[in-house]
Amino acid sequence: MISMNKNVSLVAGGAGFIGSHLCRALLEQGHDVICLDNLQTAREVNLEMLEGHRAFSFIRADIVDPLPDAVTRRRDITRIYNLACAASPPQYQADPEHTMLTSVVGTDRLLRLAEQNDARFLLTSTSEVYGDPEAHPQREDYRGWVNCTGPRACYDEGKRAAEAIAFDFARLGRADVRVARIFNTYGPNMHPDDGRVISNFVCQALSGKDITIYGDGSQTRSFCYVSDMVDGLMRLMESDVADLQPINLGNPEEYSMMEVLELVRAQTGTRSRVIRKPLPIDDPRRRRPDIKRARTLLDWEPRVSLAEGLAITCAFFEKELFSQMPDYAFDGAIAGAASTASAGLAAE
């Protein structure tokens, strides 16, 4: 049951990978939390750690459709986080029309809800708005190099349109808006089959399957552990940033795909062979955030190294695979390493 005497946060996409961690962090800070999710790409298991909490409620709904009465009739919502959208290429390309509508129509519906409640609104945009960037690292004032008719456009252009709507609401004084451009994020609660590089490499390595490298493996990404990302989102929501500019959130340490593969190999001890496939259409060659604005305005930067985060993530996926594959040889070695890493992070 949601109480009426504290911040009430609505998290659209709250059953997803990042969303479920955000819901938990908000609960730990004393917020009442309404999780709104259609479970299209999220997993209900992500909600198990939240169910039963007196300040948590779940509503199954799609923000492409009119918002349910259980949400629109409320007048006590103080924070709205919009994380609702399939976020990995295989997921968002599976239903490109729905992906575009989620970003555009769904964002409009949530902005109107924010206006109605006089609530703060935070849109999680994406580094994909920069496309295959010609500028490196990517600053918030870089306008991007996006193929507006390619197979990734449903997501890239959908998020660019969502930013436009959000900032138009802000310019008109209709909503108190913040926009985060999220760079690659990883950690527990990721879907094993979501198609992201970390989940692909780790699950393939742990299960003994061939590890897939696209192109020559020289393309780069930066990887932000989920707890750092959630911290950044919450800092941005509670900040007084009001200059109608997005803020990059991500880890500025840059790794090639081959470097990530070697880290995963070292962490898992895999003997899987590597196979190569053609680079997907419009796949960015380089990706690294410039986070000067986040450092200056939010006093934020990532704390968890890729090695530390991978240890915890590998342990999570090992347990996932063990539960799904009875013959899988789970010896606890990775979990032990992850426990040590988790203890070190908790001590900071």
Side-chain angles (χ1 to χ4, degrees), residues 161-211:
E163 288 192 18
I165 294 171
F167 286 129
D168 281 339
F169 264 73
R171 270 186 285 269
L172 293 170
R174 296 177 62 183
D176 186 4
V177 164
R178 290 144 181 78
V179 173
R181 288 180 176 167
I182 292 179
F183 283 67
N184 292 60
T185 306
Y186 71 101
N189 292 6
M190 295 181 77
H191 197 296
D193 298 322
D194 68 5
R196 293 181 173 97
V197 62
I198 294 290
S199 53
N200 276 358
F201 281 1
V202 171
C203 291
Q204 288 169 342
L206 289 173
S207 62
K209 296 179 180 178
D210 293 340
I211 298 176

Side-chain angles (χ1 to χ4, degrees), residues 262-300:
E262 291 309 312
L263 286 171
V264 170
R265 277 175 159 170
Q267 183 64 52
T268 61
T270 185
R271 296 181 180 178
S272 296
R273 69 185 183 119
V274 176
I275 61 171
R276 297 184 182 274
K277 292 186 177 181
L279 201 64
I281 296 173
D282 296 330
D283 193 65
R285 294 160 294 173
R286 302 187 72 184
R287 184 65 60 74
R288 177 164 69 93
D290 182 314
I291 62 168
K292 291 185 182 72
R293 297 193 78 237
R295 286 188 175 119
T296 301
L297 298 177
L298 307 180
D299 190 27
W300 176 88

Side-chain angles (χ1 to χ4, degrees), residues 13 55 73 122 134 142 202 207 216 246 282 297:
R73 289 178 179 174
L122 189 151
E134 296 176 305
Y142 173 57
V202 171
S207 62
D216 63 5
D282 296 330
L297 298 177

